[in-house]
């Protein structure tokens, strides 16, 4: 139908087709602020600590990117739950230097993140033009529809103690565009973290 209208070549037909496409691709955009402030002082929106609720309610996919990942984050366990659900695809982008070059008891390495989120896909930055890429993009995409862009890393302090600000956007076109942009750059900027084998040895005793 659309091809036949375009082939007709008349200006009114082409304008009608373009307006129909524009209408189909446009949707109301809902914007909601998310805050972290010490002492529970934030009053103007949801809290960053509520983000695991978004992950728990995902139905199709969870894609996220962060600089720093800590076990203290509510997302550490929420993403584990998501990765264990067979109907969900989980994809995580990490900064190699932040995770692997400064290991601490509370900051997992990229390999540990891959083990935690098995069978999800975990990617870490690699070298590009002789320099290690820094992954400083901080976002969470749910079901190719909801996009959280935030200053917060995945840590307890970012969710409870710092001053952090984010915006939760309900817009499928924007969310899909962000996911597509990062996927297009994946082969050049990231490498997949091998998933460690499952230790099936019986526990001692």
């Amino acid at each position: 139908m659309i091809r036949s209208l375009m082939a007709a070549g008349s200006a009114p037909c082409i304008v009608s087709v373009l307006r129909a496409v524009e209408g189909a691709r446009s949707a109301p955009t809902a914007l909601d602020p998310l805050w972290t402030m010490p002492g529970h002082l934030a009053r103007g929106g949801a809290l960053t600590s509520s983000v695991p609720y978004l992950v728990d309610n995902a139905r199709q996919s969870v894609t996220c990117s962060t600089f720093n990942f800590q076990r203290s984050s509510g997302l550490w366990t929420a993403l584990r739950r998501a990765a264990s659900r067979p109907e969900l695809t989980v994809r995580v982008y990490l900064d190699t230097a932040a995770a692997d070059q400064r290991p601490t008891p509370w900051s997992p390495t990229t390999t540990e993140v891959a083990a935690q989120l098995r069978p999800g896909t975990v990617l870490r930055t690699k070298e590009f033009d002789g320099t290690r890429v820094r992954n400083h993009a901080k976002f969470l995409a749910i079901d190719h529809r909801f996009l959280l862009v935030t200053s917060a890393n995945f840590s307890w302090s970012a969710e409870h103690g710092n001053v952090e600000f984010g915006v939760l956007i309900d817009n499928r076109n924007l969310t899909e565009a962000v996911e597509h942009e990062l996927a297009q750059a994946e082969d050049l900027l990231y490498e997949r973290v091998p998933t460690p084998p499952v230790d099936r040895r019986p526990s001692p005793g």
Side-chain angles (χ1 to χ4, degrees):
M1 178 65 176
I2 291 177
R3 286 182 179 176
S4 62
L5 287 173
M6 295 294 287
S10 66
C13 286
I14 294 175
V15 170
S16 297
V17 170
L18 293 177
R19 285 180 176 168
V21 171
E22 180 185 23
R25 293 296 290 172
S26 64
T29 298
L31 303 172
D32 293 300
L34 275 83
W35 285 97
T36 302
M37 286 188 186
H40 306 290
L41 296 176
R43 296 291 183 269
L47 300 176
T48 308
S49 57
S50 69
V51 173
Y53 176 82
L54 294 173
V55 174
D56 286 336
N57 284 275
R59 293 293 176 264
Q60 299 175 338
S61 66
V62 177
T63 301
C64 58
S65 173
T66 188
F67 174 73
N68 186 25
F69 208 147
Q70 295 187 6
R71 293 183 179 89
S72 58
S73 168
L75 284 169
W76 177 249
T77 51
L79 287 170
R80 172 62 238 154
R81 291 191 295 270
S84 67
R85 292 168 53 190
E87 75 274 18
L88 287 182
T89 59
V90 174
R91 197 169 200 84
V92 177
Y93 297 88
L94 297 172
D95 185 88
T96 300
D100 292 344
Q101 294 182 10
R102 297 190 299 272
T104 66
W106 54 88
S107 296
T109 65
T110 57
T111 301
E112 290 171 326
V113 174
Q116 169 79 352
L117 302 186
R118 181 191 288 112
T121 299
V122 177
L123 299 114
R124 61 189 173 198
T125 51
K126 63 181 182 181
E127 286 193 1
F128 181 76
D129 282 346
T131 303
R132 173 71 67 175
V133 175
R134 304 304 299 273
N135 189 69
H136 220 252
K138 301 167 191 174
F139 73 84
L140 182 71
I142 304 290
D143 293 341
H144 313 296
R145 173 182 170 182
F146 299 100
L147 179 66
L148 171 61
V149 181
T150 177
S151 65
N153 290 311
F154 294 176
S155 67
W156 186 94
S157 58
E159 295 164 1
H160 299 276
N162 300 345
V163 175
E164 306 277 3
F165 178 69
V167 178
L168 179 62
I169 306 164
D170 181 355
N171 186 294
R172 182 174 295 277
N173 295 340
L174 176 61
T175 303
E176 289 178 346
V178 169
E179 292 178 296
H180 178 73
E181 188 74 21
L182 208 50
Q184 290 291 101
E186 226 174 67
D187 290 342
L188 293 175
L189 305 182
Y190 299 90
E191 62 184 5
R192 183 163 182 170
V193 182
T195 303
V198 178
D199 188 354
R200 302 187 182 279
R201 293 173 299 177
S203 56

